[in-house]
Amino acid sequence: MAKSGVTLTGDKELDRLFQRLPSRVQRKVVRQAVSAALTPANKEAKRQAPTDKGLLKKSIGKVVRTFKNDGVVWGAVGARSGFRVVIDGKPRDPRRYIHLVEALTGFMRRTFDTTRSKMLSIMKKKLGSGIEREAKKL
């Protein structure tokens, strides 16, 4: 069993349970917690997105990736692929201009600032319940 890169502070018993889980299960628990924590940010980003015929708003979504080599779980909220359209003869792809909209409006920064504490709270709760659930299976 590989040593986890995650250290839980505040609850020593929960940290001990987490460290006893196989690395595959640790990644699963963390991945579920990250996905759940990104949900409020995803909803808030859609709410705050400026209207550009609704294309940017529709394209916003969350993604969670797990890198098996080093056990890193990564998550993000932003414009997804598959939303490219042609409007007035010109192609528009939100992935190509979301950074410009962010620079002008700061809607993603506001999203992060307003949902940060809620995301952390969800992450803690989901990590705790996931660790306990998986530890009972052992």
Side-chain angles (χ1 to χ4, degrees):
M1 174 175 13
K3 176 95 170 125
S4 153
V6 175
T7 304
L8 304 173
T9 57
D11 191 336
K12 291 180 182 181
E13 180 59 28
L14 206 55
D15 186 43
R16 273 190 290 258
L17 286 173
F18 186 75
Q19 299 304 329
R20 286 183 36 213
L21 296 174
S23 60
R24 176 186 57 81
V25 177
Q26 288 177 358
R27 284 191 305 269
K28 175 185 166 187
V29 169
V30 173
R31 182 181 172 87
Q32 290 170 345
V34 168
S35 180
L38 288 176
T39 299
N42 186 43
K43 288 180 182 176
E44 183 66 15
K46 283 181 179 278
R47 191 184 72 71
Q48 289 196 23
T51 303
D52 64 336
K53 301 186 190 305
L55 188 59
L56 179 60
K57 191 174 288 221
K58 287 178 190 174
S59 75
I60 292 176
K62 65 180 179 177
V63 64
V64 179
R65 298 279 187 255
T66 304
F67 299 95
K68 292 182 181 177
N69 292 341
D70 54 7
V72 171
V73 177
W74 173 88
V77 173
R80 298 174 292 162
S81 62
F83 290 88
R84 182 180 183 273
V85 296
V86 177
I87 299 174
D88 299 328
K90 297 178 182 176
R92 294 189 62 181
D93 186 349
R95 292 178 308 151
R96 302 271 185 212
Y97 63 83
I98 189 171
H99 66 287
L100 299 172
V101 175
E102 169 60 18
L104 291 172
T105 64
F107 82 101
M108 292 300 289
R109 170 52 57 186
R110 280 194 315 276
T111 294
F112 179 73
D113 291 342
T114 59
T115 59
R116 172 187 256 168
S117 62
K118 189 172 188 175
M119 289 190 303
L120 288 173
S121 167
I122 291 171
M123 176 81 91
K124 289 176 187 176
K125 188 166 85 171
K126 291 293 182 178
L127 275 174
S129 64
I131 292 167
E132 290 174 357
R133 180 184 66 243
E134 295 297 330
K136 286 179 185 176
K137 292 180 183 179
L138 292 180

